[in-house]
Amino acid sequence: MAEPVAIQIDFSKEKGEMKPIWAWWGYDEPNYTYMKDGKKLLSEIADLSPVPVYVRAHSLLVTDEGPRAALKWGSTNAYTEDKRGRPVYDWTIIDQIFDTYIERGMKPMAQIGFMPKALSTKPEPYRHNWKPGAEYSDIYLGWAYPPNDYKKWAELVYQWVRHSVDRYGKEEVESWYWELWNEPNIGYWQGTTEEYIKLYDYTADAVKRALPTARIGGPETTGPGWDKAADFLKTFLDHVVSGKNYATGKTGAPLDFITFHAKGSPKVVNGVVQMNMGAQLRDIDKGFEIVASYPQLKNLPIVIGESDPEGCAACSEADYPHNAYRNGTMYSSYTAASFARKYELADHHGVNLLGAVTWGFEFEDQPWFAGFRDMATNGVDKPVLNVFRMFGMMQGNRVEVSSNKTAAPANGNLTASANKNSGLAYDFKEVRDSSVRGERTDINALAAKDKNSATVMVWNYHDDNVEAPASPVEVSMKGLPSGQVLLHHYRIDKENSNSYEVWKKMGSPQKPSAEQIAELEKAGQLKLLTSPQWVKAKDGEATIQMLLPRQGVSLLRLTW
């Protein structure tokens, strides 16, 4: 067997707070929120997190036309007008959505959008009927247009915020994040950049008039790695700092946090799904760089409003073969490896990363394991959700992780690392610039220490979804309290915490029995690799050895 990949953890060298940047979720279809499997998944997400989880959903102001819920569609009918053109507000469905969050201790990242039909400058056609395989641009209809009356729009926003305060209380709503629209630099916004800025000014002013202490942000552009998205983000930030406000006539606009998106770009190469983590990290890197270039804004919280391996959650594997990574452990190992690099990129740029939204929820009444980008299928958790269960146990402060200059290549043999700076198999800059390609796999770790516990997440990731031998890994730790510490070793791989592999062994049933569903639900939970064991930390040092399969993730949790 090859010599182990050696990872060193020094719990005495802290690098900064282990912020729960992962405790953010989002999805296109808001009406799934209060449906059977939606409620179940939200409960599980709330339960895995020690802090309130923020939830971002599209279409909260969209007008009803036919069934409320469908792929990439949702509606609440919050705003209509009577025959004389007077506003009619109906908060029933929005309340049902937000009540579902609040009951679970979650909080809205309240997205103000999209345009009600009565306010749209192009109300017909309004509703799309998109299905997987259709042109994505087919969705951009009447709901995506600017308002025909900015003052009516502002009054709608004002009334929504006031209603929220009346229903949930000032203190609760102060803890929310309000934001305007989604990806206004592409088809989601059928107006100009200046028209979005005008809408933002009217929206932010209305939010602040309704609740001066409310938090408002934007602009939720697509990935700034694209120059046109970067230009939009900079134009918006320039206006916030020094532009003339459309609503007030004053200089600048309120901005309490900054948002943009970041996506990878998988493809099929020689019949194999090949991820592109580097593309996602370059979006993040450029976004951080832009924010850091504004002295007045550099310390504002940043929320990466969608941060995912690719763009379309509702695009199933059957129609989009490059999405075949989603059911198994490639999604979970990608998630572990990419979130670790988000922390490092924020450190590198000296910015205040608050959250990174995973745009993946559930799709009600769809085939089992259809290959949507979701956390669960028909109420059964997929492997990726177990990475977040691991993150939920990682508290305190991040600590230093280092390695010798050896790494496990794709063929299982040992090779020297080309990275002469950090000594790690891949540092964040190398993954950002080149992704994880070639012979070497990304075997690395993220570690944290709290008052009476320490955690180490270890992954074995590669962009190519191919079979390979497991790699021996040796995790050496120092800075522990001397004496006995209790180790819990959790694992996600083909044999553990993996409902998908169990489902395949059942014969991939599309109508599983009640007994099979119970077995799948159990398989979807996070599993211990071995029984808990006491480990002696001599002089505060201990070593754990393991075999880590390709695309596997381990969490070592030590308590004392």
Side-chain angles (χ1 to χ4, degrees):
M1 183 177 291
E3 185 178 339
V5 176
I7 297 174
Q8 283 96 40
I9 312 294
D10 191 339
F11 290 111
S12 67
K13 294 184 177 179
E14 296 182 351
K15 297 178 63 177
E17 182 185 355
M18 181 72 198
K19 290 183 181 179
I21 64 170
W22 48 267
W24 300 70
W25 264 270
Y27 44 99
D28 290 73
E29 302 85 3
N31 307 95
Y32 290 163
T33 301
Y34 49 80
M35 294 183 180
K36 175 177 62 73
D37 291 337
K39 283 186 171 182
K40 180 180 182 182
L41 179 55
L42 286 169
S43 294
E44 291 191 290
I45 289 172
D47 289 346
L48 65 81
S49 176
V51 299
V53 170
Y54 282 86
V55 188
R56 174 179 185 254
H58 290 341
S59 302
L60 294 176
L61 295 177
V62 167
T63 305
D64 281 353
E65 285 214 335
R68 280 204 172 100
L71 295 180
K72 301 195 70 63
W73 177 262
S75 59
T76 67
N77 229 28
Y79 180 93
T80 54
E81 293 180 356
D82 66 16
K83 292 179 180 179
R84 296 174 61 182
R86 294 176 300 190
V88 178
Y89 304 109
D90 183 349
W91 309 114
T92 306
I93 302 302
I94 287 181
D95 288 348
Q96 193 173 0
I97 293 166
F98 282 13
D99 286 356
T100 305
Y101 302 153
I102 302 302
E103 288 163 3
R104 288 160 176 75
M106 306 171 106
K107 295 182 182 293
M109 185 179 185
Q111 185 182 128
I112 302 172
F114 299 115
M115 194 59 61
K117 187 173 184 178
L119 288 178
S120 176
T121 54
K122 189 181 178 183
E124 295 290 354
Y126 186 76
R127 172 169 183 158
H128 68 75
N129 291 286
W130 182 88
K131 294 180 179 179
E135 286 292 326
Y136 195 88
S137 59
D138 290 351
I139 71 172
Y140 304 134
L141 299 179
W143 56 266
Y145 282 80
N148 52 37
D149 188 322
Y150 281 84
K151 289 185 178 179
K152 279 188 173 181
W153 167 266
E155 184 64 17
L156 164 60
V157 175
Y158 176 86
Q159 293 295 339
W160 185 10
V161 178
R162 286 306 311 164
H163 169 77
S164 299
V165 173
D166 290 344
R167 186 173 183 83
Y168 302 106
K170 178 174 176 283
E171 184 178 354
E172 172 62 33
V173 180
E174 284 176 330
S175 70
W176 299 2
Y177 292 89
W178 296 85
E179 54 149 14
L180 176 64
W181 223 258
N182 177 69
E183 299 183 340
N185 61 302
I186 61 170
Y188 278 93
W189 177 245
Q190 291 292 307
T192 65
T193 303
E194 276 303 308
E195 285 173 319
Y196 174 82
I197 288 171
K198 181 178 180 180
L199 193 74
Y200 182 84
D201 285 351
Y202 275 91
T203 302
D205 179 65
V207 169
K208 295 290 188 179
R209 282 190 289 109
L211 180 61
T213 49
R215 298 182 287 200
I216 179 72
E220 291 288 5
T221 58
T222 60
W226 180 30
D227 57 354
K228 292 184 178 179
D231 289 344
F232 191 107
L233 177 58
K234 287 184 282 189
T235 300
F236 172 78
L237 296 178
D238 287 343
H239 173 79
V240 164
V241 171
S242 59
K244 183 179 179 180
N245 191 292
Y246 282 95
T248 67
K250 297 178 181 179
T251 299
L255 185 69
D256 298 302
F257 61 100
I258 299 169
T259 60
F260 58 83
H261 297 176
K263 305 285 187 176
S265 182
K267 58 185 178 181
V268 177
V269 179
N270 297 323
V272 172
V273 175
Q274 183 179 82
M275 307 299 281
N276 191 345
M277 190 182 295
Q280 184 183 357
L281 298 186
R282 288 191 291 275
D283 276 341
I284 296 171
D285 186 59
K286 187 62 178 179
F288 288 172
E289 177 188 303
I290 290 170
V291 174
S293 71
Y294 290 83
Q296 311 95 316
L297 306 176
K298 181 177 180 179
N299 294 323
L300 284 182
I302 296 171
V303 178
I304 308 170
E306 297 178 22
S307 191
D308 305 291
E310 35 64 41
C312 177
C315 296
S316 62
E317 176 185 341
D319 294 288
Y320 307 88
H322 58 273
N323 290 335
Y325 75 90
R326 292 168 164 182
N327 288 327
T329 57
M330 181 169 234
Y331 193 5
S332 43
S333 63
Y334 182 107
T335 299
S338 61
F339 265 91
R341 276 49 189 250
K342 295 170 197 179
Y343 287 105
E344 292 181 301
L345 283 166
D347 290 345
H348 176 68
H349 288 283
V351 295
N352 179 12
L353 177 58
L354 176 67
V357 177
T358 292
W359 201 258
F361 183 50
E362 65 95 17
F363 293 88
E364 206 83 18
D365 298 322
Q366 295 292 332
W368 286 81
F369 293 99
F372 293 107
R373 194 175 68 238
D374 49 13
M375 302 292 103
T377 176
N378 291 283
V380 169
D381 298 341
K382 292 165 68 170
V384 64
L385 189 61
N386 286 313
V387 172
F388 294 101
R389 290 190 168 104
M390 290 178 171
F391 279 131
M393 289 186 271
M394 300 187 74
Q395 299 182 56
N397 290 314
R398 290 178 291 119
V399 300
E400 184 176 284
V401 176
S402 59
S403 174
N404 63 6
K405 289 187 171 64
T406 58
N411 60 13
N413 296 322
L414 205 64
T415 186
S417 170
N419 188 323
K420 302 301 181 184
N421 297 320
S422 70
L424 295 168
Y426 284 85
D427 68 6
F428 75 93
K429 292 181 180 178
E430 189 172 359
V431 180
R432 175 197 65 190
D433 297 342
S434 306
S435 206
V436 182
R437 305 287 170 83
E439 288 192 344
R440 293 181 299 138
T441 58
D442 176 29
I443 298 177
N444 216 316
L446 175 68
K449 185 181 179 184
D450 208 359
K451 184 178 179 181
N452 296 112
S453 67
T455 45
V456 183
M457 181 185 286
V458 188
W459 59 85
N460 180 356
Y461 172 77
H462 196 279
D463 271 356
D464 291 332
N465 197 17
V466 296
E467 296 284 339
S471 296
V473 180
E474 183 176 274
V475 181
S476 300
M477 299 168 285
K478 59 183 180 180
L480 293 166
S482 293
Q484 297 283 90
V485 295
L486 183 62
L487 170 67
H488 288 77
H489 185 168
Y490 300 90
R491 169 65 62 81
I492 306 165
D493 58 22
K494 280 196 170 184
E495 306 300 325
N496 299 280
S497 317
N498 193 327
S499 60
Y500 181 52
E501 291 296 324
V502 173
W503 179 74
K504 288 195 294 183
K505 288 176 183 176
M506 290 177 175
S508 306
Q510 280 302 325
K511 294 182 178 180
S513 66
E515 291 78 10
Q516 287 177 317
I517 290 172
E519 184 180 351
L520 290 169
E521 287 178 325
K522 184 178 179 181
Q525 300 300 302
L526 181 61
K527 299 295 194 300
L528 283 166
L529 180 65
T530 62
S531 298
Q533 64 185 94
W534 289 98
V535 175
K536 186 173 183 180
K538 185 178 180 181
D539 298 323
E541 297 185 7
T543 298
I544 306 296
Q545 295 180 325
M546 69 178 88
L547 270 177
L548 187 60
R550 173 74 70 89
Q551 312 300 11
V553 184
S554 272
L555 182 80
L556 308 176
R557 185 169 188 265
L558 301 142
T559 54
W560 53 86

